[in-house]
Structure formats: C-alpha cells, structure tokens
Amino acid sequence: MKHEITVPEVSEGVTAGTVISVSVAVGDQVEEDQTLLELETDKAVVAIPAPVPGRVTEIKVTDGDEVAIGAVIMSIEATGEDPSEAETEKQPPIGAIEPEAEIPPDPEPETKEPLPPPVYQQSKEQVLDLTPVRRDDQVAPAAPSVRRLARELGVDIYQVQGSGPGGRICEDDVRAFVRNTMQQLASGGVSPLATGGANGLHAQRPLPDFSKWGEISTEPLSKIRELTADSMAYAWSTIPMVTQYDKAGVEDLEEFRKEYNYRSTSDAKLTMTAILVKVCAAALKTFPQFNSSLDLVRKELIFKHYQHIGVAVDTPNGLLVPVIKDAGDKGVEELAVELNDLAERTRQRKLTPAEMEGGGFIISNLGGIGGDAFTPIVYAPQVAILGVSKAEMQPVWNGREFEPRLMLPLSLSYDHRVIDGAAGARFLRWICQALEQPLHLAMKG
Ligand code: CAO
C-alpha cells in the first residue's frame, strides 16, 4: 500500500521549513522510524521518520527546497502489511480475470550517487521567505513580501502594529512605522515602546565592497545563525545587563565526580555541567526572581514555579539550547543521564522543538574549552544566565597560608531591571557555597 509522507506540524506558528538533507533515495528499503529527511524550521531541525517499513517509490523534494506544512514530500510502498487490508478498493470483482500484479521496477542496482552534503542555498523562485518571526514565542502575522519590505527598510517587524484583521501587518503599516519613527527622531528622540523594546530599527549600515582589498567568499546564514543573531541583538539592545564574577573551590567535588565515574557502570558520565544543573535548580528555588520574566506591558513579574534549565550546547551548526525540564525535582544521576542524551541528540540535530522550549535559566559551560571568564548574554525573556569557565589549580590564601585549590570561575549575567546587584552577588555566592559544600545544598535546596 502506498503511503504519502507529508510535512508534519512541527510547532505552533511554524508554517514551512527548509529541507536540509534527504537521507534516502528512490528504491531504498526503509525501516519504520528510519529518518527520511531533515527539515530546518525557524524553531528547530526535525528528522522526519518513515511511518512504516517499505520501499521509497517517489521523492518530491531535494536539499534546499522550501516546503509547507502538510505538503507531500515522499511516497513509500509499505511492506509487511496485511494484503487483505491494503488496496481493497483495487481488488478485482469476483469472477473477473485477475491481471498480473504490477510490480514496480527494481531500483537501478548500485547507481545511487552518494548523498551530497546539505546545501543551504535556495533558488530565488522557490524561496518562501522564512525570516525568523519569533520573539518571545509570538509570531508576527505578515506575508513574506511584507517581511521582506520590513527587512529592506531595516525595520524590526515585531515592533510594527498591524492594522489588518487579527493584527495582520501590511506594507502600509511598515511604511507608517518608518514615517512615525523618523518623525519622532526628528522631534528629538524615540521613546521606547510600551513593550520595553528598542525603537525597532535594526538597520545594518551599508557594507563596503570587501573584494576591493582581496579575495572574499560568502555563505548563506543557516536558520540557527539567523535566529541566534536575532535573539542576541534583541537581548543586547533591550536588556540592561550586569555580569557578576565569583569562584568556587571544587577540588572535593571533582574528586567525588572522578571517583563516581570510575566506579559507575552507567554509560552516562557524571559531568560538572550536570552537577551545576542541580545546584542552579536549587538556587532558583531559593531565589525565585532569577527564574522570572518581566512583563512591562502588564507591569508585573511572572514567577515560574518550575525549574526548567537550558544548557548551551556547541554544535557544528551553531549554538543550541536544549532544556532540562523540572530539574529541581531530579537527582544528579538522573540529570546526568538526561543531559548526556540531550547534548548528544542536539549535536546530531535530533531535538524536537518542545525540547528547546520553556527554559527559565541557562547554563553555558565553556570550561571544557578554556578561558578565565566571559560575559554570557541573558536570553530574553529570561532574566539570568550562568557562564562557567575552566576550573584550574590556583594558590588561595586561607588566612594563614596559600593553599592549592581547584577554582571554578563563574560569571552570572542578569537583567538589572529585575535583579539588584546585591541579589546577583548573593545568588552566585550561594551557588559557590553549594559547590564547595554540597551539604549546604542538602540543608537548603
Ligand atoms: N572546567 C574544567 N573542566 C571542565 C569544565 C570546567 N568548567 N567543564 C567541563 N570540563 C571538562 C570535563 O570534566 C571533561 O573532562 P573529562 O573528560 O576529563 O571528564 C571535558 O571538559 C569535556 O566535558 P564535556 O563537554 O564532555 O561535558 P560537560 O558536561 O562538561 O559539557 C556541554 C557539556 C554540552 C555543556 C559542552 O559539551 C558544550 O557544548 N559546551 C559549550 C557550550 C557553549 O558553547 N557555550 C557558549 C554559549 S554562548 O554564551
């Protein structure tokens, strides 16, 4: 029986995606759940699996194609199904001479070309403008041509008030936004909008022709890079942030971790990051404002009574942040298993959008690479993020003498509209103490 494979609903608000790699060819025999192709949307990369075992009979897309949700992308002739259930409407009437069953031709033996690497280039005709339309999980209701106009004029479309039904934004709305903003500029400055956002103008200044000075090459931005650029620019231009630095002596913890990994029969390694997830979840329970979001429109703080912690994962395609849900209710062992699994699937681009949503706080551990300190950027609408640098042996004065200690540098960036400096310092000290004396965590966490 023929199964048509359609693009599934990936996430709310996502209407289309880009095929980044087709993993099968016509004639391939596939298992149930085997990945047929990978699709990149503005929320995530998703693998589309085979719903049944069978043979691929048709592929309608190729790498780089833009496809709408619901579009048919492939067909599979299922194998192993009960023939009495399949194709019943095509059964010949009783007594009729049964024609010979039509057998699809065998695939050309061994003519399959090796799959090309994913291509991100799109032909102009096929492009369905998929410019990121997400901001704090809201979708800007605008046609691709309107979004294109906004981009050309350097307007952040999320700041444009739509005049159409349901707030739909049309070209006139974008032009009116530019006119108003220019008038405000001319009359002495732009006041921040009620959303607390910036003035909405993120125009890029014209670039010089770099090829004048030597050879250059270009490559299109991946969706991940586009989204990262958008969310970082938004956070940087709207959140007044401060970074607080501290250090925790972690020699006892490291000794325990190494001993645990040596004795453990589990596949999942206990890492410093997993321990930090546990400690931060406990810290968020003690200091709930670090797990809040600021709503300037309603003039209120939203407190989350769950501890969903994002962990920044470095992948060849860019930074992604899977979220460990309810970290405060889980033990370190369970968190280690979950983190290993999430990080692995993140690198393989096998996360679902839901696994990257709902985070209230992020840990960004660059210590495996190196560095003394850095200033992580708060990821709106969160209000704080913990950066972790490389733990190193250092001489520390204990009041009588210098003693060698393994010091883990921590950098906490926070939204200064929500968190005062003293609270930032206390929160980070609390984390340091919990790492230095885990009993402290058990007593208070
Ligand atoms: N100090 C010293 N060593 C550290 C360390 C730290 N802060 N963090 C990790 N290490 C060590 C680990 O102990 C491990 O050594 P061993 O193999 O001897 O145990 C090694 O570095 C590699 O660790 P890991 O990467 O396997 O495991 P992890 O849990 O510590 O990190 C993850 C997981 C996903 C956080 C990490 O792989 C990663 O992707 N980090 C990059 C995050 C990033 O890009 N952030 C920037 C975001 S922009 O703000």
Side-chain angles (χ1 to χ4, degrees), residues 71 78-79 241 268 273 332:
T79 51
M241 41 184 123
T273 312
V332 178

Side-chain angles (χ1 to χ4, degrees), residues 50-235:
V52 289
R55 188 163 54 168
V56 179
T57 54
E58 190 183 11
I59 299 176
K60 291 174 179 273
V61 291
T62 183
D63 297 353
D65 280 0
E66 298 282 340
V67 286
I69 302 301
V72 178
I73 44 178
M74 227 178 255
S75 300
I76 291 181
E77 195 66 38
T79 51
E81 288 189 335
D82 182 353
S84 64
E85 283 176 17
E87 304 269 1
T88 41
E89 72 278 18
K90 290 196 185 155
Q91 294 291 321
I94 294 166
I97 298 169
E98 200 171 326
E100 265 190 36
E102 209 179 284
I103 301 168
D106 278 342
E108 297 274 313
E110 296 307 315
T111 55
K112 206 172 72 177
E113 291 286 320
L115 285 172
V119 177
Y120 291 89
Q121 223 127 17
Q122 302 152 357
S123 81
K124 283 244 156 36
E125 295 69 37
Q126 289 167 328
V127 169
L128 245 184
D129 194 342
L130 277 182
T131 306
V133 290
R134 189 186 64 171
R135 165 86 24 101
D136 306 349
D137 292 335
Q138 288 173 349
V139 170
S145 57
V146 177
R147 277 191 258 139
R148 196 172 307 119
L149 174 70
R151 221 179 22 252
E152 280 165 14
L153 295 174
V155 170
D156 181 352
I157 195 145
Y158 303 94
Q159 311 251 344
V160 179
Q161 183 62 52
S163 59
R168 197 159 181 80
I169 303 164
C170 65
E171 292 195 358
D172 281 348
D173 296 327
V174 175
R175 292 198 178 90
F177 177 87
V178 174
R179 245 190 335 269
N180 292 342
T181 308
M182 296 316 287
Q183 276 165 9
Q184 286 181 58
L185 276 170
S187 66
V190 180
S191 57
L193 301 183
T195 56
N199 58 30
L201 286 175
H202 294 298
Q204 179 180 292
R205 291 180 186 176
L207 294 173
D209 175 8
F210 296 105
S211 66
K212 279 196 303 196
W213 301 295
E215 196 183 333
I216 61 162
S217 64
T218 62
E219 66 178 38
L221 293 184
S222 69
K223 281 282 175 300
I224 294 176
R225 181 60 55 208
E226 264 190 73
L227 282 169
T228 305
D230 179 63
S231 57
M232 290 298 108
Y234 177 66

Side-chain angles (χ1 to χ4, degrees), residues 257 269 271 273 312 314 347 364-368 389-391 408:
R257 194 182 70 83
K269 196 169 95 172
T271 64
T273 312
D314 178 36
R347 292 188 193 105
S364 176
N365 182 5
L366 286 173
S389 297
K390 186 174 172 57
L408 178 71

